[in-house]
Amino acid sequence: MATTIKDIAKMCGVGVSTVSRAITGHPDINPATREKIMKVVEETGFVPNASARSLKQSESNNVALIVKGIANPFFTRMIHVLEDSIEKKGCATILRHVASNQDEVHIAAGLAAERKLKGIIFLGGNFTHDGMQLKNLGVPYVFSTIGMDSDGKDPVIANVSVDDVEAAKMATSYLIESGHRRIGLIAEGIDVPSVGQLRYRGYCEAFKEHGLEIDHRLITQVSDGEEHYTMENGYKAAKILLRTVPDLSAIFCFSDVLAMGACRAITDHGKKIPEDVSVVGFDGIEDAKYFIPRLTTIRQPVDEIARETIDMLFGMIEGKTPGRRVLMQAQLVLGESTANGPFRR
Amino acid sequence: MATTIKDIAKMCGVGVSTVSRAITGHPDINPATREKIMKVVEETGFVPNASARSLKQSESNNVALIVKGIANPFFTRMIHVLEDSIEKKGCATILRHVASNQDEVHIAAGLAAERKLKGIIFLGGNFTHDGMQLKNLGVPYVFSTIGMDSDGKDPVIANVSVDDVEAAKMATSYLIESGHRRIGLIAEGIDVPSVGQLRYRGYCEAFKEHGLEIDHRLITQVSDGEEHYTMENGYKAAKILLRTVPDLSAIFCFSDVLAMGACRAITDHGKKIPEDVSVVGFDGIEDAKYFIPRLTTIRQPVDEIARETIDMLFGMIEGKTPGRRVLMQAQLVLGESTANGPFRR
DNA sequence: TTGTACGCGTTATCAC
DNA sequence: GTGATAACGCGTACAA
């Protein structure tokens, strides 16, 4: 049987409450007694049972991190930074990874009831949710890098992200102004309220603003596998584009990972990057800087987004500041994967 | 206040135990009563408090996954597969990520005491540990993809991995037999009992078997940052090699991620891969197949390792089979990053 | 088939 | 400064 606080108490010849005080660092205790107890605790390797502890305590210091699409390196980095920040706030992170067909809010609700969460951070997934369900969470939550619709009628209010519409428009406009017209799109989730939808809108707006028509044969969507943002999916989509659109001169991908897969497909197709086909990614992950060719991409300011997310969440937890929508500045980073297109040569 | 089983009982006009029976799927209950209760449970979104539950139950169905170096895509994939398998066994995964300066066994011990674990899987980290500490865990554990020393005097007995010495020897021998002599090494952790040490041994043995001397200027080690296996570290190490070893014709890296960073450095250095410098990685991650150039690498059979790990752990949990050492077969996968060296041209 | 009462390990509230 | 004791929410033996 595992050692309990009772055993420790017996060993030290004191009461359980004294042991509890020693462990929790309570001030009302004789330093000598504490020393004695802590020594035994060390020796036995005793760790208080977390269940009993959190059962007794009305509040925990758990922050849940609900991630949809954990394989995406962009999130890996985000998770890393967020975990660090949460720890610095003296809290523990419960990392939960949800499949693309699961409802993240439902899962969060379960976790909140189970674990008495202090707050929730959603990473990835949709930005539209059932208001009732969100209310039911009963704890502060922030949507991070999930995008949001600009109409503002959404019940989700705590939200940190780049302006996905603007960012995608920036990428597409850059390609158009570089002389590209036949710009393929490797998209994801344009039919659901996600960043995919927003970025798709940005793509369309860029065309419209330049007085150009959109050819729907240029648009592909990935949806294979449980994870959508994979190199394999980017590879497959690019293959299709290359086969069906002979005069393709550029591809805009909704993530760097997709872009890398696309690059490989272009190379395999016997074409050169960027001479024959330009590629633009999205996210600005570390890998993009080392990929050959270095990717031209839209950089999301990970560290700033993480910091803002944490600040907002803990502001809400402490009741100081309400949740709000914060747009961070995305940035076009020029790499080696883009060059002028046919109309600028 | 959060809803409890008592509230549900009151709402339904039944006793708490009846509600408990309904939720846990106990057979001794009137189907009609269960229906009624479950409906209310659905409506209120009630979820039993996990703390109270696990406090009461002497055993949990939690399996801990302790990962050292979570940013490595190789582990990302492993985690994915392991989580799936654990869920299929009807258990929950507690994912815990430890920093490179933390002791994974110590953390595991804390977790075991806190959460009444069913079993532990260690991913990454060292293979030598304090036998006492391991005994103290009190639950079955398996070391996965961590390597092991062949002398067998180690207390760690449940272990699934490739033969890192053999695998590294295979990679190095391949380069030597392709006509390379000046083969740089981008290593990690050769001074600690880790896969790095084993792979380093393999590198040395290959040289020895071919009657060649080892030049220690060819050996670099990465150790920057909290995560060692990063593109950035590979990049920096390769830069140094290229600067200090003018006649370098190949580099063997202890991971694909390092290899990708190295490739970038070689390209930036104005050299061509594989014409000027060949590169061999280790792991065989998905990305290696899409990288440009496609990496020549040592593939670790992720799915098989994961399956074997799970089988062994649950065999131990059910007391059917004892822990043992299992070596999986690594495989040299030829890509586009290697070519014949000066001595075969 | 159903309800009552107890105990899991911990912390907080009291007396002492 | 310290020890006994009552909760926390749940599962379950046992009584009904």
Side-chain angles (χ1 to χ4, degrees):
Chain A
M1 207 197 73
T3 31
T4 75
I5 199 172
K6 254 182 192 162
D7 303 327
I8 305 289
K10 216 166 283 174
M11 286 184 207
C12 300
V14 299
V16 285
S17 33
T18 310
V19 178
S20 177
R21 274 189 278 261
I23 297 170
T24 52
H26 206 83
D28 287 355
I29 185 174
N30 186 322
T33 329
R34 145 172 299 140
E35 289 277 319
K36 190 177 65 181
I37 294 171
M38 289 315 280
K39 210 180 129 211
V40 177
V41 168
E42 287 291 328
E43 282 169 13
T44 55
F46 168 75
V47 179
N49 180 304
S51 303
R53 199 169 229 181
S54 75
L55 174 60
K56 179 60 192 170
Q57 286 166 339
S58 48
E59 59 177 33
S60 78
N61 61 342
N62 294 324
V63 173
L65 200 50
I66 317 263
V67 187
K68 206 163 193 172
I70 199 162
N72 191 336
F74 175 68
F75 287 140
T76 309
R77 167 96 185 133
M78 276 292 294
I79 292 168
H80 209 83
V81 179
L82 287 172
E83 273 188 332
D84 272 7
S85 312
I86 290 169
E87 184 163 357
K88 284 207 186 85
K89 291 276 186 181
C91 292
T93 304
I94 297 178
L95 181 58
R96 182 71 173 239
H97 144 209
V98 312
S100 48
N101 57 356
Q102 288 177 309
D103 177 21
E104 52 270 30
V105 176
H106 186 73
I107 292 198
L111 219 50
E114 260 180 46
R115 297 281 191 80
K116 297 204 180 105
L117 300 178
K118 196 153 197 164
I120 305 171
I121 295 172
F122 291 97
L123 226 51
N126 297 351
F127 56 75
T128 302
H129 291 286
D130 183 346
M132 258 312 285
Q133 269 194 41
L134 285 173
K135 277 254 164 53
N136 265 344
L137 289 177
V139 292
Y141 52 87
V142 176
F143 284 72
S144 190
T145 69
I146 290 189
M148 46 185 137
D149 213 324
S150 45
D151 60 11
K153 66 176 195 289
D154 226 316
V156 176
I157 44 153
N159 196 318
V160 182
S161 73
V162 297
D163 187 333
D164 285 278
V165 178
E166 269 315 308
K169 187 159 42 166
M170 192 188 339
T172 312
S173 295
Y174 167 70
L175 285 172
I176 293 175
E177 287 158 17
S178 298
H180 294 279
R181 291 298 177 272
R182 304 292 283 165
I183 303 169
L185 187 69
I186 300 185
E188 193 266 353
I190 62 183
D191 320 306
V192 294
S194 63
V195 287
Q197 191 172 77
L198 301 174
R199 293 175 194 173
Y200 175 63
R201 197 182 300 162
Y203 172 85
C204 295
E205 284 184 10
F207 270 80
K208 209 173 296 170
E209 286 190 5
H210 286 82
L212 300 169
E213 289 288 317
I214 289 164
D215 181 348
H216 286 277
R217 282 169 301 182
L218 289 170
I219 294 160
T220 60
Q221 249 197 107
V222 299
S223 60
D224 282 4
E226 196 196 286
E227 298 268 351
H228 294 171
Y229 288 109
T230 62
M231 293 196 181
E232 190 182 355
N233 276 339
Y235 185 83
K236 284 193 206 155
K239 277 262 176 191
I240 293 171
L241 279 176
L242 289 162
R243 203 167 48 227
T244 57
V245 186
D247 56 347
L248 188 81
S249 82
I251 302 180
F252 173 38
C253 306
F254 279 7
S255 92
D256 288 338
V257 177
L258 290 173
M260 291 180 189
C263 284
R264 186 70 240 187
I266 293 166
T267 309
D268 284 0
H269 203 255
K271 301 236 178 185
K272 284 222 174 308
I273 306 167
E275 294 81 355
D276 300 321
V277 183
S278 287
V279 176
V280 176
F282 201 111
D283 285 346
I285 59 176
E286 198 74 358
D287 306 28
K289 295 193 287 194
Y290 294 96
F291 196 71
I292 303 172
R294 253 182 259 279
L295 290 181
T296 292
T297 184
I298 297 289
R299 193 182 86 86
Q300 301 198 57
V302 176
D303 292 2
E304 290 89 335
I305 292 176
R307 186 170 39 69
E308 185 63 41
T309 300
I310 295 290
D311 286 353
M312 189 183 295
L313 183 68
F314 280 87
M316 292 164 76
I317 289 172
E318 293 155 17
K320 284 197 295 220
T321 50
R324 57 207 179 88
R325 301 186 155 195
V326 173
L327 283 181
M328 309 298 286
Q329 196 57 49
Q331 187 189 355
L332 177 67
V333 179
L334 299 183
E336 306 157 343
S337 65
T338 46
N340 283 339
F343 292 81
R344 277 277 296 270
R345 283 185 192 144
Chain B
M1 206 197 74
T3 32
T4 76
I5 199 172
K6 251 184 194 163
D7 303 326
I8 304 289
K10 216 166 282 174
M11 287 184 208
C12 300
V14 299
V16 286
S17 46
T18 311
V19 178
S20 176
R21 275 189 278 262
I23 296 170
T24 52
H26 206 84
D28 287 355
I29 186 173
N30 187 322
T33 326
R34 145 175 293 139
E35 289 276 321
K36 191 177 64 181
I37 294 171
M38 289 315 280
K39 212 180 127 211
V40 177
V41 168
E42 288 289 328
E43 282 169 11
T44 55
F46 168 75
V47 180
N49 180 303
S51 303
R53 201 170 225 180
S54 76
L55 175 59
K56 179 65 192 169
Q57 286 165 340
S58 49
E59 60 176 33
S60 78
N61 62 342
N62 294 325
V63 173
L65 200 50
I66 317 265
V67 187
K68 205 163 193 170
I70 200 162
N72 191 336
F74 176 69
F75 286 140
T76 308
R77 167 95 186 133
M78 276 292 293
I79 292 169
H80 209 82
V81 179
L82 288 172
E83 273 188 332
D84 272 8
S85 311
I86 290 169
E87 183 163 357
K88 284 208 186 84
K89 290 277 186 180
C91 291
T93 303
I94 296 179
L95 181 59
R96 182 73 172 238
H97 144 209
V98 313
S100 49
N101 57 355
Q102 289 177 309
D103 177 22
E104 52 270 29
V105 175
H106 186 72
I107 292 197
L111 219 51
E114 259 180 45
R115 299 280 191 80
K116 298 202 179 107
L117 300 177
K118 197 154 198 167
I120 303 171
I121 296 172
F122 291 96
L123 225 52
N126 297 352
F127 55 76
T128 301
H129 292 285
D130 182 347
M132 260 311 286
Q133 268 195 38
L134 286 172
K135 276 254 165 55
N136 265 345
L137 290 176
V139 292
Y141 54 88
V142 177
F143 283 71
S144 190
T145 69
I146 291 189
M148 46 186 138
D149 212 324
S150 45
D151 60 12
K153 67 175 192 289
D154 226 318
V156 176
I157 45 154
N159 196 319
V160 183
S161 73
V162 298
D163 187 331
D164 285 278
V165 179
E166 269 315 308
K169 186 156 51 165
M170 190 187 340
T172 313
S173 295
Y174 166 71
L175 285 171
I176 294 173
E177 286 158 18
S178 298
H180 295 279
R181 290 299 176 272
R182 304 293 284 166
I183 303 170
L185 187 69
I186 299 185
E188 193 266 352
I190 63 183
D191 320 307
V192 294
S194 63
V195 288
Q197 190 171 80
L198 301 175
R199 292 174 195 174
Y200 175 64
R201 197 182 300 162
Y203 171 86
C204 295
E205 285 185 10
F207 271 79
K208 208 172 297 172
E209 286 190 6
H210 286 81
L212 300 169
E213 290 289 318
I214 290 165
D215 181 347
H216 286 277
R217 282 169 300 182
L218 289 170
I219 294 161
T220 60
Q221 250 197 106
V222 298
S223 60
D224 282 4
E226 196 196 286
E227 298 268 352
H228 293 172
Y229 289 108
T230 62
M231 293 197 182
E232 189 183 355
N233 276 339
Y235 184 84
K236 284 193 208 156
K239 277 262 176 190
I240 294 172
L241 279 177
L242 289 162
R243 204 167 46 224
T244 58
V245 187
D247 57 344
L248 188 81
S249 81
I251 302 180
F252 172 38
C253 305
F254 279 7
S255 92
D256 288 339
V257 177
L258 290 173
M260 291 180 188
C263 284
R264 186 69 242 189
I266 294 166
T267 309
D268 285 0
H269 203 254
K271 301 235 178 186
K272 286 222 173 308
I273 307 167
E275 293 82 354
D276 301 320
V277 182
S278 287
V279 176
V280 176
F282 201 110
D283 284 346
I285 59 176
E286 198 74 359
D287 307 27
K289 294 192 290 195
Y290 293 95
F291 196 71
I292 301 172
R294 253 182 260 279
L295 291 181
T296 292
T297 185
I298 297 288
R299 194 181 84 86
Q300 300 198 57
V302 176
D303 292 3
E304 289 88 336
I305 291 176
R307 186 170 40 68
E308 186 62 40
T309 299
I310 295 290
D311 285 354
M312 189 182 294
L313 183 68
F314 280 88
M316 291 164 78
I317 289 172
E318 292 154 18
K320 284 196 296 221
T321 50
R324 56 205 180 90
R325 302 185 156 196
V326 174
L327 283 181
M328 309 298 286
Q329 196 57 49
Q331 189 188 354
L332 177 68
V333 179
L334 298 183
E336 306 157 343
S337 64
T338 46
N340 282 340
F343 292 82
R344 275 278 295 270
R345 283 188 191 138

